[in-house]
Amino acid sequence: MKFQRKFARAHTKKQRAATAVTVKNLPGRWNYEPCHAWRGSVIIGKSLRPTWWCAPLEGQRRKCVKVTYQGEDFFLDDENGDGSRKVFRLGGGPDAPHASIPVDDLSSFIAE
């Protein structure tokens, strides 16, 4: 009986791990088209305007989603999960909210 419970727990952990990997590696979508996307963090660069939402956060590391679409890289804020929700669950369309992040140094991105 002990063996069966131990095996059942191990099997459940393996199933959870496999599910987590599958969810983490779901293909992203932008404008309802397939794209490459990664969760991670990045250092916020200089904002285009001093009134932009992220202007006071310049130089800080923040959770993000990196999206590569039609050969261009851009970053979406993911501190509250909006970036992931838009790209991985809602299809990346204009009806889902997001906040862009300016990035000066692309090498500051660290994938999860």
Side-chain angles (χ1 to χ4, degrees), residues 6-79:
K6 186 175 180 180
F7 178 76
R9 264 188 271 138
H11 184 67
T12 304
K13 285 180 186 176
K14 286 180 185 176
Q15 284 178 332
R16 281 191 215 131
T19 303
V21 170
T22 303
V23 169
K24 189 174 184 180
N25 294 323
L26 280 174
R29 297 186 75 74
W30 190 255
N31 291 331
Y32 304 109
E33 296 179 4
C35 70
H36 296 286
W38 302 267
R39 288 186 186 110
S41 65
V42 71
I43 295 176
I44 296 178
K46 185 164 179 60
S47 66
L48 301 175
R49 292 177 296 283
T51 56
W52 202 6
W53 73 273
C54 59
L57 302 175
E58 183 179 344
Q60 295 181 20
R61 183 161 292 279
R62 195 156 170 101
K63 289 182 184 179
C64 71
V65 175
K66 177 183 177 184
V67 177
T68 301
Y69 177 71
Q70 295 184 349
E72 292 186 40
D73 292 334
F74 52 94
F75 299 84
L76 308 177
D77 181 55
D78 200 35
E79 277 298 315

Side-chain angles (χ1 to χ4, degrees), residues 65 76-87 90 96-99:
V65 175
L76 308 177
D77 181 55
D78 200 35
E79 277 298 315
N80 61 2
D82 281 348
S84 291
R85 193 174 307 108
K86 178 174 184 123
V87 173
L90 300 177
H98 77 275

